[in-house]
Amino acid sequence: MHELSLCESIVETLEQQALAQHYRLVKTVWLEIGALSGVEAEALRFCFDAVTRGTLAEQAKLVILEVPGQAWCTQCSIHVPMQQRFDACPRCGGFQLRVNDGEQLRIKELEVE
Ligand SMILES: [Zn+2]
């Protein structure tokens, strides 16, 4: 499962950060998930609970911030909202879109101890 390996890399990042920033426990993780990232928030939450067991993030609360998709239409020269990857431009119906937001999966903030 895609989400499982994502969670494993999140925990890896948390452990590396713990060494660099000298914390022992992660209390809250704010995670940004783009609407176009292909990540299921619920599946991610489920994996996060499983993967963090026995780690410094075992008690951590996961807060998911969903970021809407946005693309630049080269035809219209405007930014347009994008629900899904490979959607057409809602204004001109064209496909000359460059995604500029909504693809991310990143840790935005951490509460640690
Ligand atoms: Zn357009």
Side-chain angles (χ1 to χ4, degrees):
M1 197 195 292
H2 182 50
E3 280 79 5
L4 189 61
S5 57
L6 286 172
C7 285
E8 282 167 350
S9 71
I10 291 168
V11 171
E12 238 167 70
T13 305
L14 294 175
E15 283 172 344
Q16 284 164 4
Q17 291 291 309
L19 289 176
Q21 298 182 27
H22 309 289
Y23 60 77
R24 293 174 303 115
L25 273 182
V26 179
K27 295 171 81 180
T28 315
V29 180
W30 282 267
L31 199 65
E32 265 190 355
I33 300 183
L36 309 177
S37 66
V39 177
E40 289 279 340
E42 278 320 301
L44 192 80
R45 203 178 278 286
F46 180 80
C47 292
F48 186 81
D49 284 345
V51 168
T52 54
R53 209 159 292 155
T55 72
L56 78 175
E58 183 162 20
Q59 306 294 327
K61 196 170 96 183
L62 182 64
V63 181
I64 292 177
L65 309 160
E66 297 196 32
V67 181
Q70 193 190 62
W72 173 258
C73 178
T74 51
Q75 290 279 92
C76 307
S77 296
I78 52 162
H79 286 110
V80 294
M82 203 180 203
Q83 314 296 335
Q84 286 177 53
R85 194 180 291 271
F86 309 122
D87 268 1
C89 169
R91 197 164 121 160
C92 68
F95 289 93
Q96 283 164 295
L97 297 171
R98 269 205 319 265
V99 175
N100 57 19
D101 203 4
E103 287 184 305
Q104 66 270 62
L105 177 96
R106 65 161 178 250
I107 297 169
K108 185 154 190 252
E109 224 179 298
L110 286 177
E111 188 190 357
V112 297
E113 203 172 80

Short mmCIF file of all heavy atoms in Angstrom, two decimals, residues 72-78 80 88-97, ligand 1:
data_model
loop_
_atom_site.label_atom_id
_atom_site.label_comp_id
_atom_site.label_asym_id
_atom_site.label_seq_id
_atom_site.Cartn_x
_atom_site.Cartn_y
_atom_site.Cartn_z
N TRP A 72 -2.28 26.18 -13.39
CA TRP A 72 -2.17 27.36 -14.24
C TRP A 72 -2.58 26.94 -15.64
O TRP A 72 -2.02 25.99 -16.18
CB TRP A 72 -0.73 27.87 -14.21
CG TRP A 72 -0.46 28.98 -15.16
CD1 TRP A 72 0.18 28.89 -16.37
CD2 TRP A 72 -0.80 30.36 -14.99
NE1 TRP A 72 0.24 30.14 -16.94
CE2 TRP A 72 -0.35 31.06 -16.13
CE3 TRP A 72 -1.46 31.07 -13.95
CZ2 TRP A 72 -0.53 32.43 -16.27
CZ3 TRP A 72 -1.63 32.44 -14.11
CH2 TRP A 72 -1.16 33.11 -15.26
N CYS A 73 -3.59 27.62 -16.18
CA CYS A 73 -4.00 27.31 -17.55
C CYS A 73 -3.25 28.24 -18.49
O CYS A 73 -3.36 29.46 -18.39
CB CYS A 73 -5.51 27.49 -17.72
SG CYS A 73 -6.02 27.17 -19.43
N THR A 74 -2.48 27.65 -19.41
CA THR A 74 -1.68 28.48 -20.31
C THR A 74 -2.57 29.11 -21.39
O THR A 74 -2.19 30.10 -22.01
CB THR A 74 -0.56 27.65 -20.98
OG1 THR A 74 -1.12 26.48 -21.54
CG2 THR A 74 0.49 27.24 -19.96
N GLN A 75 -3.75 28.56 -21.61
CA GLN A 75 -4.70 29.13 -22.58
C GLN A 75 -5.35 30.39 -22.03
O GLN A 75 -5.44 31.41 -22.69
CB GLN A 75 -5.82 28.12 -22.87
CG GLN A 75 -5.41 26.91 -23.66
CD GLN A 75 -5.33 27.20 -25.13
OE1 GLN A 75 -4.26 27.57 -25.64
NE2 GLN A 75 -6.45 27.03 -25.82
N CYS A 76 -5.85 30.27 -20.80
CA CYS A 76 -6.59 31.38 -20.19
C CYS A 76 -5.67 32.35 -19.44
O CYS A 76 -6.10 33.44 -19.08
CB CYS A 76 -7.62 30.86 -19.18
SG CYS A 76 -8.74 29.62 -19.81
N SER A 77 -4.45 31.91 -19.16
CA SER A 77 -3.51 32.69 -18.34
C SER A 77 -4.07 33.03 -16.97
O SER A 77 -3.94 34.16 -16.49
CB SER A 77 -3.09 33.98 -19.06
OG SER A 77 -2.39 33.66 -20.21
N ILE A 78 -4.74 32.07 -16.37
CA ILE A 78 -5.21 32.25 -15.00
C ILE A 78 -4.98 30.96 -14.21
O ILE A 78 -4.78 29.89 -14.79
CB ILE A 78 -6.73 32.59 -14.90
CG1 ILE A 78 -7.55 31.55 -15.69
CG2 ILE A 78 -7.03 34.00 -15.36
CD1 ILE A 78 -9.02 31.52 -15.32
N VAL A 80 -6.58 28.10 -12.03
CA VAL A 80 -7.91 27.48 -11.92
C VAL A 80 -7.86 26.37 -10.86
O VAL A 80 -6.83 25.75 -10.65
CB VAL A 80 -8.38 26.89 -13.28
CG1 VAL A 80 -8.60 27.99 -14.29
CG2 VAL A 80 -7.39 25.85 -13.80
N ALA A 88 -9.82 18.80 -17.05
CA ALA A 88 -9.70 19.88 -18.01
C ALA A 88 -9.86 21.22 -17.29
O ALA A 88 -10.37 21.27 -16.17
CB ALA A 88 -10.78 19.73 -19.08
N CYS A 89 -9.45 22.28 -17.94
CA CYS A 89 -9.64 23.61 -17.39
C CYS A 89 -11.14 23.89 -17.30
O CYS A 89 -11.87 23.72 -18.28
CB CYS A 89 -8.97 24.63 -18.30
SG CYS A 89 -9.38 26.34 -17.89
N PRO A 90 -11.63 24.32 -16.14
CA PRO A 90 -13.08 24.55 -15.99
C PRO A 90 -13.55 25.74 -16.83
O PRO A 90 -14.75 25.90 -17.07
CB PRO A 90 -13.25 24.83 -14.50
CG PRO A 90 -11.90 25.21 -14.00
CD PRO A 90 -10.90 24.54 -14.90
N ARG A 91 -12.63 26.56 -17.31
CA ARG A 91 -13.03 27.73 -18.07
C ARG A 91 -13.02 27.49 -19.58
O ARG A 91 -14.00 27.71 -20.26
CB ARG A 91 -12.11 28.89 -17.72
CG ARG A 91 -12.70 30.20 -18.14
CD ARG A 91 -12.00 31.33 -17.46
NE ARG A 91 -11.44 32.20 -18.47
CZ ARG A 91 -11.10 33.46 -18.23
NH1 ARG A 91 -11.23 33.95 -17.02
NH2 ARG A 91 -10.61 34.18 -19.19
N CYS A 92 -11.92 26.97 -20.09
CA CYS A 92 -11.83 26.78 -21.54
C CYS A 92 -11.95 25.32 -21.96
O CYS A 92 -12.08 25.02 -23.14
CB CYS A 92 -10.51 27.36 -22.07
SG CYS A 92 -9.05 26.43 -21.54
N GLY A 93 -11.93 24.41 -20.99
CA GLY A 93 -12.06 23.00 -21.33
C GLY A 93 -10.79 22.38 -21.88
O GLY A 93 -10.77 21.22 -22.27
N GLY A 94 -9.71 23.16 -21.90
CA GLY A 94 -8.45 22.66 -22.44
C GLY A 94 -7.65 21.88 -21.42
O GLY A 94 -8.00 21.81 -20.24
N PHE A 95 -6.58 21.28 -21.92
CA PHE A 95 -5.74 20.45 -21.03
C PHE A 95 -4.33 21.01 -20.88
O PHE A 95 -3.43 20.31 -20.47
CB PHE A 95 -5.69 19.01 -21.55
CG PHE A 95 -6.98 18.29 -21.36
CD1 PHE A 95 -7.93 18.26 -22.36
CD2 PHE A 95 -7.27 17.65 -20.15
CE1 PHE A 95 -9.15 17.60 -22.18
CE2 PHE A 95 -8.47 16.99 -19.96
CZ PHE A 95 -9.41 16.98 -20.98
N GLN A 96 -4.17 22.27 -21.27
CA GLN A 96 -2.83 22.85 -21.12
C GLN A 96 -2.66 23.45 -19.73
O GLN A 96 -2.59 24.66 -19.55
CB GLN A 96 -2.59 23.88 -22.21
CG GLN A 96 -2.28 23.19 -23.52
CD GLN A 96 -2.43 24.13 -24.68
OE1 GLN A 96 -3.51 24.62 -24.99
NE2 GLN A 96 -1.32 24.39 -25.34
N LEU A 97 -2.68 22.56 -18.76
CA LEU A 97 -2.64 22.97 -17.36
C LEU A 97 -1.35 22.54 -16.72
O LEU A 97 -0.87 21.43 -16.96
CB LEU A 97 -3.81 22.34 -16.60
CG LEU A 97 -5.22 22.74 -17.06
CD1 LEU A 97 -6.24 21.88 -16.36
CD2 LEU A 97 -5.48 24.20 -16.77
ZN ZN B 1 -8.31 27.46 -19.52
#
